[in-house]
Every structure is written in C-alpha cells, then in structure tokens.
Amino acid sequence: MKHLSLLKFMVIGALSCGIISCQQKKPGTVTEEGFPREKTLYLAGFQWGDPNTFNPLSDWPAFPVGGKYNLMYEPLVVFNSITGKIEGLLADSPERTDSTISVKMNPMARWSDGKPLTSADVKFTFEIGKRFKGAPTAYVWDFISDITVDTVVDSSASGEMKLEKIVFFINKKERNNPLVVMDILQNIRIVPRHSIEALLAEAGGELAELQKLKFDKDPVVSGPYNLLRYSNEKIVLKRRDDYWGCMALYNNRLPQPVYIIHPIYKSNDHFSIALQQGNLDISATFIPRIWLKAKEGVATWYKKEPFFIPATIPMLQINTTRYPLSDRNVRRAMAYAINYKDIRELAVSGYSPPILSGLILPFGVEADYCNAEDIQKYGVSYDPEKARAIMKEAGYTSVFDADGKLNHVKNAKGEKVPTMSVKSPAGWSDWESMVQIAVKGMRAAGIDVREGFVDASLYWSCMPVGDFDLLMQKPVPEVTPSKPWSRFDAVMSSRNWKPEGEKMNENQGRYNNPSSKDYNPEVDNLLKRIPTLTDNEEKIKAYRQLNIIFMQDMPALPLAYLPEQFYEFSTRNWINFPTEENSYAPPQCLCYGAGTKALWEIKSVAAE
Amino acid sequence: MPIFEVDNLHLHYLTRFGAKIPAVAGVTFSMEKGEVLGIAGESGCGKSTLVNGCMGLFIPPLWPTSGNVRVDGESIMGRSPKDVRKNILGRKVAMIPQGAFNSLNPTRKIKDQAADMIVSHESNVDKKALYERLRQRFDLIGMETEKVLGAYPIQLTAGTRQRCVIGISTLLDPKMVIADEPTSALDVTTQKAVIRMIFDLLDKQIFSTMIFITHELPLLRHVANRIAVMYAGEFVELGTTDQVIFDPRHPYTKALMGAMLSAEPGQRQRKPVAIEGAPPNLAYPISGCRFAERCPQVRPECRVNKQEIRIVADRQVRCDYAE
Amino acid sequence: MKLLLNLLKTPMFVIGTTIFFGTVLVALFAPMMYHVDIIARVGMPYMPPGKEHLLGTNHLGVDMMSLLIKGLGSSLYVGFLAGMIATVTGTLLGIYGGFKGGWQDDFITLITNLFLVIPTFVVLILISSSLKEGRSLALIAGIIGATAWTWSARAVRAQSASIKSRDHIALARVNGEGTLKIVVKQILPYLFSYVFMVFIMQTASGILSEACISMIGLGPYDTVSLGTILNEAMRNEALGDGAWWAFIPPMILITIIVFALNFINTSMEGVFNPRLRK
Amino acid sequence: MPSETTIFSAKNLTCVFGHGKKSTKAIDDLTFSIADQEIVSLVGGSGCGKSVLAKIMLNLIKPTSGEFLYKGKPIIDQRFHWREVQPVFQDPFSCFNFFFTIRDQLKASFGIMKTKPSKKEMEERVDQALLAVNIVPSEIQGKYAFELSGGQMQRMLLARIFILRPAVLIADEPTSMVDACVRASILDYLMKLKKELSMTIVFITHDIGLAYYVSDRIFIMHRGKIVEQGTPDDVALKPKNEHTMKLLDDIPDIHKNWISR
C-alpha cells in the first residue's frame, strides 16, 4: 500500500541522514584513480554546470578559462586586494599618465609551445575585440582608443635589456575612464596569436566559427597548468613543469600540486561535507558557521569574526519605477525596518562586520572615502519606530489582523497599496535567510513585502529587464582597483537608462530616470568625473557627495558586507594556505587573481 | 495398536474474565488403521473444538483441561502452536476444513500454496523436484493438473476448490485425516464428487484413517465405519454405522434420525420431527443429563444424575435408561 | 458499541489513540501554556537545548519548541484536511460506483485506475512547483487530497460492491426502502469502520506527503510545518553542524504520528475484519 | 390461461446477464404457471437459474424478454408486488444488518405496508410473530444478528413473514445453511405458514429429497430450463429426465447404495 512506501521513504531518509553524519566523522584521505593525494589539490566552487568549452574566445568557457583564473591563460597584471597594489605578471605594474596607461612586457614570458609571449600577442588579443563585436574583448574599446608598442631600454644592475612597452590610450572621447582601463589590464587574459590566427584562418576568418572549437586538446597556454581531462563530474589540470614563471617569478620553483582537480558539485552543503571529509581542499562557497567545522580542519582567513575580509555588499535592488517603491519615503522606511544585526548574526553566520549606511565599504582601500559624519547625518540604521513614523508621515496606513499579522497597506487616497515581493534564487540559503529577515522586519514595520524565491534561471532572466519589485543582488562582486566607483556605477548610473522590459547591464532598479522631472544630473556627472580624478581630496569629496545622494534616495538596500569570494580551506591534506597571520597572498582561491601565487607556498601534509 | 487414541479428553475455553467454559468433556475413542469414524451433531455441540483438540492445536482462548491424544502411540499434547504447525499438522494429522474459500489465499496460485505446504515442513527442497512432486500427486488424485495448479482459487469452481484443498492438505501423506464438514457448503452434486475423491484417496492409500464430521447422518451412513453422536461436548452414542443409523438407542440419536428426510416411497407421509429447544449453555454448570431439557423420554432423575457411558447392545451409550 | 468495546480492549488501539490524541492535544493546547513565537529571534543560531530554550534554536535563532508546536499543528491540519478530502471524494465515488454498477461504475473505475497509475508524488511536485506564490496549508492539503482519493475510491468501491450482494439489501428493497435509505442504513454502517480506517490511513499519508514535498522545498509559504522545519534544517546544514535538535524532533514527531495512526489502523483491521476476528 | 387464481404465469421468459460474448442465459425461454395456494419446488444444482427465477418473481431482477404475470397482470407497482410477494433467503446472517437490533429490523418490514399500524400494534404484531416461530420475545430483546444461532436467525426471517402475511412466499434455499434438526423445524414453520395464511410457496432447493417432502409440484431445472415437472411422487420416484435422475442419485439416502467403494 501507498502508506508503506511513504514510510519506507522516511526510513530511508532517516538512514541516509545517519550515514552522511557518520561519514563526516570519518577522517581519512580519498585517493582518486591515478592522482596521488599528496600531489593533488582539490578546489571547487567555480564550475557548477557541465563543462562545455575551454575556448578562451567563447562567451562562457569553463573553469579555468573564463573568469579571472590565472592557471591556463594569464593577464598582464593582477590586483592584490590585501595590499591594494597592482602586481605584475606578463607585464610589470602599470604606469599612469593623464591620457595613457602603460606596462612593460616581461621578456621571459613564453607559451607552452616554447614561443615567446610578446606585445604582438597582447595587441592581437585586444584587437580581436575591435574586429569582432562578439569577442569577449569588444567592450574594452569603449575605454581605450589605441594600443601602441615602444621599445625601451631597462638599465638595471644585471645589465641593459630591451623591453617592450605597451601603451594603452584612454578613450577620452567615449568614456574617459582610466579606472576601468586599470580593471581591463587584469581582466583580459592574453591568448596565443600564432596558434589562434591560424585557427581563425581555418575558420574562414569567422569568429563565430572559431568559437565553436573547444580548445580542450593540449591547448597552447602560458599559465602554470594545462587541461589534462574533463568530464561532467570534474575538470583535471596538470602542472606544466616548463612554466616560464617558475624561472622568472618564483626562483626556479615549481607549484606544489602536480594536479588540480575541480569537482563539480550541485549543492552548497556538498562542498561543506567534502571539505570536512578532506575530499576537497579549497572551496569558494558559502558555508555557515565555519567555526563549528574547525575541528574537522576547515578554516579561512580570520580565525574569528568576521572570518572573511569584507569586500562586497549584497543588497536589495529596488525597482524605483514601480509604485509604491517609486516613493523615496517607502524606500527609506524599508531601510529603517531591516534588522541588520540579525542578518549579520543569523543569515551570514557573523561573516559581516556591522554594516554602515551607504555604498562604501568602511575598510581597506575604500575606507578613505567613507565619512562617518555623513553616515551619522544621512544614514539609516535598524529603527522600526522610525520606519513606521516615515510611513505614517508619507500618508500610508498599515492594516493589521487581530493576531498582529500585517494584512495590507493603504495610501493617502485610501487605495490598497500593491504587495511587493523580493525576488531571490531559491536554494541560495544565505540569501534566503537575508531576505527572510529583511521581509520579517519590513512586515513588522507595516510595509507589505513578501518573499518570492524563484528558480535561479528565472532570477537571472528577470534581472536585466527589471522584472521585479525588489531583487536580491550582489553588484560587481570582484575586488578591482575601480572600487567603489564601479559599485556606485552599477547601482546608480543612468547612462544607458531604459524603461522596464528592456535590458540594462547596470542600475537594473531604473533609478534616476533621465526623462523624469526628478532627474538628478549630479549623479551621472559625479560617476563620470570620479574615474578621471587623480587628486585624493577631490576624489573623497566626490565620493562623499555621491554617497549622500545614495543615502537620501535609497535606490537599493545594502544588507551586509561579504567577501569577494568565500575562501575556505581544509588542512587535512595541504597546509600553509594564506591567512591573516600568514598573509603572503590575498584570501582568494588558489586559481584566482593574485591568489595564484599560493600554489607555490602550500605544503602537502604527507610530504611534511 | 490403534493408530489414533483420544483418552478422556476435556477441553475448555478461558474467557476474558477468567471463566472456564467446558466445551468438550470426557471424549474417549480409539481408531485402528483404515477406519473411518463419523462424528455427528448439531452446530455448537463442540465438534470443531474437538477437531482442534485432536490435532493438539491449542490457540487461546482454547485450553486443554485434561486427557491425552496419541498418534501412533506418541502423545501430541502440550506442544506450542508453532511446533504443532510444523511437526504435527499435515504430517501426522491433516485437516480438511469446511470452507475452501477461507483456507485458500485468493492472491496466490494453487501451485504456490501447495508448495508452501511442503516447504514449511521440509527443508532443502529442490524447486524443480517439488513441482514435479506436486504434478504427480495431482495426477494421482485425478485432477486436471496443469489447469488447476496454475490457477488462482477464484478461477475454479467451488467443488474443484474443495478438492484442491483436500489434495494440498494430504500432500505429506498424513497418518490421520480429520474432515470437518467438508461438504456442507456444497450442493448435492458437488458433495458427491468430493466424497468420491476422498474415497479415491483412501483407495490409493494416500491416507487410510479418517474422522469425518457432519450433521448429515445419511451421509455418514455411506462414509463411516463407526459413528459417534455428539451432544453438548459429550459423546452420547458410539457404535458401528448400522447400529447407530438403523438401531439408535440414545434418545438424542433417535431424535436426530427422526428429523431426517429422504425421497423414498412412503416417506412423504412421515413428517420429520424437529427437536424442540436448544442445546444447553455450557457456561453454566449442568448437574444431570445434558439432553434432559429436550429429551422426550425425560425422567426426574435425569436432571440430577450425571450420565456416564455404558454399553448397551454392543455400543457405548450415555444414558442410564437406554435399552 | 460492541466493536468499540473490543477496540478499547486492544492494546495496540489504546496505545495508538493515546499517542495520537496526545499529539493533537499538544498541538491544540500547548500554545496556551507555552509562549509560541515563530517570528521573533530569541538567540543565536543553532543554540543547543538548554534551560531557556528547551529544544534549542534554529538557524535563525527562533525557538525550536515554538516551531515544533506550530509545525505539529500545521502538519496535523494538512493531514486531516487532505485525509478528509481524499476520503470523502473517494467514498462518494466508491459507493456510487459500487452500488450503482453498470457503465457509471465502469467509468469511475476507469478514471480511478487511470489516476492510480499516474505517479502521484510526481504530480504533487509538479502542481506545487507550478504554484509559485500563495501556497497555503489548505491548498497543499487540497493538492494532496486530490491526488490521494483514488485508492480510497477503489477500496470503498470493492467493499460496497461486496456488501451490495448481501441479502439484507434485497430485504430492504422488498421492505420498500428507497436507494438513499438503503445506502444510508444498509451500506454506510458497514463501510463506516472501513471508511474510518481509510481516513486514518489517508491522514497518515497526508502528513507524510506534506513532509515529503516540504522536504524538497515545495511546502507551504508563510507558515511552519514539520516538513518545512526539516527542509530548513537540511538546507542550513543542521546535520553538518551537529544541530540534531533542528531535525531529530520533527522527524520523531512525524514518525510517532504516522506510527500511531498505523497502530490504530492495524488494530481496527483486527477488530473490524471478520476474517481476522476469527 | 392466466386467471385470478394463477399466481405466477410465465411465457417464453428469458433472462440474460452480461452482454456480447460473455453473456449467459440464466433463464432460457421458460413457460410455466403456479396456481394459488400451491407449493412448488424449484430444484436444481448450482447455476441452474433457480435463484434468478426467484429474484424475477420478487421483482428484484427484470427479465430480458418474455412475459411474466402476477395474478394475470404484469408487475407495475412494485410496492404493491412486495406487499403480496415476500422472500426468505438462504443465508440468514447476510439477511440482517449487524448495526441494528433484530427487533428494529423486523419492525422495518412494516415499511412496505400500505398503512403503517400504530407503534403499539407494531410491537404486538412482532411479539405474535416471534411466538409463532417459537421464540420468546424477551430472548431477542436488544440483540443483534451475530448474537443468535443460525437456526434462530432463520426463524427470524420466518417471523418476518408472519408479520407481513404476504400471499406468496419465495423461499430460496431456506434450510441449506442450517443443520438437520433445525431444518425439520423450519419445514414445520413453512407448513404452518401455508396452513394459517393460505399461502402460495415457491420453494427453492438443491435437495430433491427436501422438495419431495414439502411440495405439491416439483420443477427440475437445468441450465435455465425446466427439464421435468410433476407431482413429487412422479418426479422423485418415477423420474424420466436424466438430470432428475442424477439429482436423485446424488442424495445420500440411508437405504440406497450411494457411492461404491
């Protein structure tokens, strides 16, 4: 009978829970076929779906080709979020003038087939974007107008050396934004001209044809690892023992892991379990209550709160074109109604320091621009009474049921105000909890908002067209030299303002409609001006101004500070990961940005 | 040596409130190999209780009070129901029940239910050999083997079903068979077929000794060598078939015979005589004769004196005044 | 009456009903004795059971005891409602088909069989996932009931068809009783114990179904059920963090309720089913 | 010819169950008549159609084709018909509902009467009927069907007939579920009914011996047809049809040889 099968289901469920919890207690190393555990590093959290292509010129290549991974293809420079400095890689650190940014190529850089990596490859990589609108580098030409190559002579102690100097001209006519050009230098990974040009010719000069190639058979790369094999379960990289950087950057030392394996997991808790079991060495996913996992050898940057270095701001983006969210008072009331302390302590496991109002992080490189006085004066904090007062003052009446639950809200005309909902991807547990707490607070303050957890695919498709009331979002998560300007730009820029239904890549809340009577041109002026400023005082002034506008208008509701990426490691098989005390590299996964250098420093437990 | 002996058997039911209700009292008989004993009586006289006692199968609330049952000289009393089911039932004593429908599982094929019978008693049976054995037996007892073995009970007629039950319960060649009203739910034609089958099994020596229980005395006339008449838990008369049918001595046996009908010349004028009243309630102690309340020849002493078995005209009778 | 007495003498029935009504009483009266608040945060996430919070807190620092009391109520409510819907629908269709016979019966049997072969749990998932917003407890119960009526219909149909052949139905007809009166007086009393058993089983399976769809995140919004508690615990790594109090108690509660209902059902089967009664 | 004194008359009566290939003729082209105050036995093995015929007589089944008249008229008002024709069934346990007391169910039979007697009269008539079948009313007071013995239950069905006093009794195997002593008493009561109420009785049985005792006429049925009919002495002692002979042969009589071993 039916009830019996359901009973079985329950029993099986209970048993499997028990089995999982038993497994977690069992220490030990699991060796995969042919990959000695002491020479293999397992890292995960970047590839979620099946790997399709490793073509560096395609739109969404798989790990470690897309994104800011430096294992196979490398950028000119990398940004160290700990020091705030730009560090050299294929080139040395950039020099900036009013109209140009220039770098000198590292003469020792080589491709895996032994050919030198030169300015010709760099120019080729960038200029593909000029030739083809569909190329990943196409966007850079909004920001740079030209690339030239000079030869300079470097006279250091070891003697004279001819170096190539690449000069990027800032596109003054278009965007005039040196900050983004700086970002571009570390965002664009250089591809081998000699091999790709040949392939492009074979493809009849069509980029679309070239993009169909998978580049998964011994591709020509410059990085320390190359693709060995891949499946729907994992991607395996093997160390290149002839990597040019070993000699040029690391005193003739090899990276420690011979293999890097990225297993593909489907759900957040799998990462946590794998880390605790020692089947995974590094993860970039949210793991709640990491201190409870310390006994299983799982740790992160800090040993105590906030555990991670805050770098990004998850927030509720508000569709300011929809009533009643178009009312600034409602937005401000919402901001007052959210219990930020609960979010910090409950939703994100205390990984966030106490949040201050505004869009500027009060830490690290951004701390200079954050002004306590302004925040005191214009900022918001958790104050439900104030929230209620604002609503009342703005003419809204909240109607509560007998049991104290909010029923609906009426406006000054006595009309029922529509119920708003918060779109957030279902299953992202930290975000879900943040939304739950925010909604709870807003409802208690008499604002009619509900949770609306949706499938992730629906979430992504609703975001650019503005199909939401409120949307859980984390704009520009990467740590780049352009912060916090890029964050303001992402939330407030009306440069490409379009009505709801059409795509916008930034300001999806449609704040500050240029054609409305309330348009504040100052916002766009400031956003345009800040990147060109070189004087620090000027910059501080401009940022303060922008942040005050944000705090007054509240086009979005920042909820917490979270790291650029979650960075958790297990010390069961590898040790000497970068931490607060041992900060030789930033808290980034060992494939990412400036974090890659830790590959040379970690040590295998078995080898010790 | 008798193959089956029942020695002064008393059985009782224990109610939830702790009261003992005697259901069978002082039953004694023994059977030689090849004998068929008929037991006759109305419903509620303790026939079915006696059957359970004869198999040594005591499932609460039924309990043995005293006495003994021996098969082939070996006592089968005082065993657990599990032990009885495994070692006695089917091998030493087999039972043919009344309703074939209740004793067959409607959801399983005949052959599987027959196989269960063997598997539950024997260990390490080869499956192929087992079905071959079944086939041989069903051929032997004259069934349409292939059709019957592969069928579900519902696909068979009532008569075939009952014959299957008989076939299955005698699979293990039991020493004794107890047939508890095997034909009373059947019409006359089917009844005859079933009886014919039982005779066939006797002739083929699949079993040789049988207790046959029914309330139809005319049937016993054709089936049994000896007949015991049971009333209110006691045997009131036990003698050869001819003695009991044609020359009954106990008033109750006489009354039973008087209630019989038959389509014979002259019988139409002889109206059957009903026995008025109902058997006594055994929950209350009875001092005198148990039949006294309904006896046409009752005397005042009958209500006081307990009747004991005595020999009258070469048969046992439990009446002080029978002649 | 006699049946009821017999039931009360069956230890299994007594144990089952005691446990079950115990849970119902807790769901009904505990909120009066215990301050149930499933909104307010009262402590840190996953605080272990202690003096202040008898069963600790969940990942949002909400008192687990409150959640359990509220969740128990919701789960029982969904179970009852789903059981009611499934039983009433199934019984009406089953009696109609079984008693009426003919093409109406064939049609109902066809529909029932059709529904029986459809994997109901999949349907359940599909329906509840297509309802993006506003899944209330009653709606969930409705969905469960709508997919579960088939086997009550089938069971009741078989029963009423077999009762139909009993002679007292014929006697009632020659006594001049109409169809409705026959159904009410001659059939329903026979079915009552059976329908009641079906109802109990449907309630148990309703509670389980709710727990199952809540476990996979398709449970009711805006409220707490035992299933959603389990789901939240699972999603928020209660298992990995050793917060057993976040998932063991709701699991035990579900198991207890379902076992109690199964106990009741099995004991009733023993008393009501004449063949087993022998 | 059907007349007022003809109770039932059937002409080319046929009753078919099922449809298409699965159809079976339960009653096959029967023509017969039953006179007033006659006791007619329908005798046959299981599946011969005797119970179907009984149900047609009771108007519980409609014949597929042919003519079936009660007292010369087709059955139109079924309530009227049930006031006149009443049954006694084979299995007394299935004749009573377990959920109401026996007495209540006996009283329910007043429902078919044209004018319901007063409550007091009802009780009195039930008591009388019970006494007529030799049962002390107090004995069954407040009792349910499962608390009585088979014999008592069968007598309850007869008591019901004493209450209703119909013109015709359809007795469908009334003795097949009771043992020999009770059988005799049931037959006694049937005779008593016949005598007291001048009833017409259709007696259905598989036991030709029983039919021999009670009937004025015997119909031997086989596969929906009447294969032989006549007085008991003719049919039972001088059978002409093979089916009759077989039925006679199947009865284990005391005196004749039944099965040879």
Side-chain angles (χ1 to χ4, degrees), chain A residues 407-565:
Chain A
N407 192 300
H408 62 275
V409 176
K410 277 193 239 167
N411 64 14
K413 291 178 202 154
E415 297 160 343
K416 183 178 176 286
V417 171
T419 303
M420 297 161 272
S421 97
V422 183
K423 252 182 198 148
S424 175
W428 295 23
S429 55
D430 50 337
W431 282 23
E432 275 184 6
S433 298
M434 283 192 239
V435 170
Q436 279 171 357
I437 293 165
V439 166
K440 191 171 90 180
M442 292 193 243
R443 294 195 70 77
I447 306 167
D448 194 6
V449 181
R450 290 217 173 260
E451 295 141 21
F453 299 122
V454 296
D455 195 66
S457 59
L458 186 67
Y459 169 81
W460 291 116
S461 64
C462 288
M463 187 196 304
V465 294
D467 179 16
F468 55 83
D469 300 326
L470 292 102
L471 181 89
M472 188 67 200
Q473 203 188 6
K474 195 165 76 172
V476 268
E478 292 92 4
V479 177
T480 60
S482 67
K483 287 274 177 71
W485 173 86
S486 50
R487 192 180 301 120
F488 278 105
D489 189 65
V491 175
M492 298 169 82
S493 166
S494 302
R495 192 174 65 248
N496 295 319
W497 201 96
K498 290 187 188 73
E500 188 181 321
E502 289 175 50
K503 279 191 181 179
M504 272 177 88
N505 289 328
E506 65 286 303
N507 185 10
Q508 283 112 354
R510 271 100 181 130
Y511 164 70
N512 207 17
N513 180 357
S515 53
S516 92
K517 59 179 168 43
D518 299 327
Y519 177 64
N520 184 353
E522 193 58 22
V523 178
D524 286 332
N525 287 342
L526 284 166
L527 283 173
K528 202 167 176 193
R529 201 153 65 85
I530 288 173
T532 59
L533 294 176
T534 45
D535 179 55
N536 212 34
E537 284 304 311
E538 283 282 304
K539 251 201 242 179
I540 291 171
K541 230 179 105 189
Y543 273 126
R544 279 183 64 181
Q545 225 180 324
L546 203 50
N547 209 22
I548 288 169
I549 296 174
F550 174 83
M551 287 188 280
Q552 285 171 331
D553 278 3
M554 280 294 165
L557 309 170
L559 298 178
Y561 302 138
L562 287 181
E564 170 184 22
Q565 60 185 228

Side-chain angles (χ1 to χ4, degrees), chain B residues 204-270:
Chain B
K204 286 177 176 149
Q205 292 291 305
I206 287 167
F207 63 91
S208 54
T209 318
M210 176 170 70
I211 294 177
F212 193 100
I213 296 174
T214 180
H215 61 260
E216 298 278 3
L217 274 174
L219 185 57
L220 284 185
R221 146 85 172 79
H222 300 278
V223 174
N225 308 114
R226 284 196 297 157
I227 295 176
V229 179
M230 201 170 177
Y231 183 77
E234 293 175 330
F235 277 7
V236 294
E237 184 159 358
L238 173 58
T240 64
T241 303
D242 285 349
Q243 285 171 339
V244 173
I245 299 278
F246 298 111
D247 183 21
R249 293 301 172 100
H250 192 280
Y252 179 64
T253 319
K254 285 180 184 169
L256 271 186
M257 284 310 298
M260 291 304 125
L261 305 158
S262 64
E264 285 167 57
Q267 288 289 320
R268 202 162 133 74
Q269 278 64 49
R270 187 194 66 82

Side-chain angles (χ1 to χ4, degrees), chain B residues 85-111:
Chain B
R85 286 201 180 96
K86 182 150 174 63
N87 295 317
I88 310 257
L89 290 191
R91 284 195 189 185
K92 291 202 160 77
V93 184
M95 148 101 164
I96 298 170
Q98 176 168 16
F101 236 138
N102 286 346
S103 45
L104 289 174
N105 180 343
T107 62
R108 305 188 66 215
K109 288 182 178 173
I110 297 292
K111 65 174 174 193

Side-chain angles (χ1 to χ4, degrees), chain C residues 21 82 105 109 125 130 138 177 183 186 203 207 209 223 237 257:
Chain C
F21 283 108
D105 183 31
T109 310
I125 292 173
S130 65
E177 291 177 8
V183 167
Q186 311 291 343
T203 303
I207 289 171
S209 297
T223 188
E237 286 192 31
I257 298 172

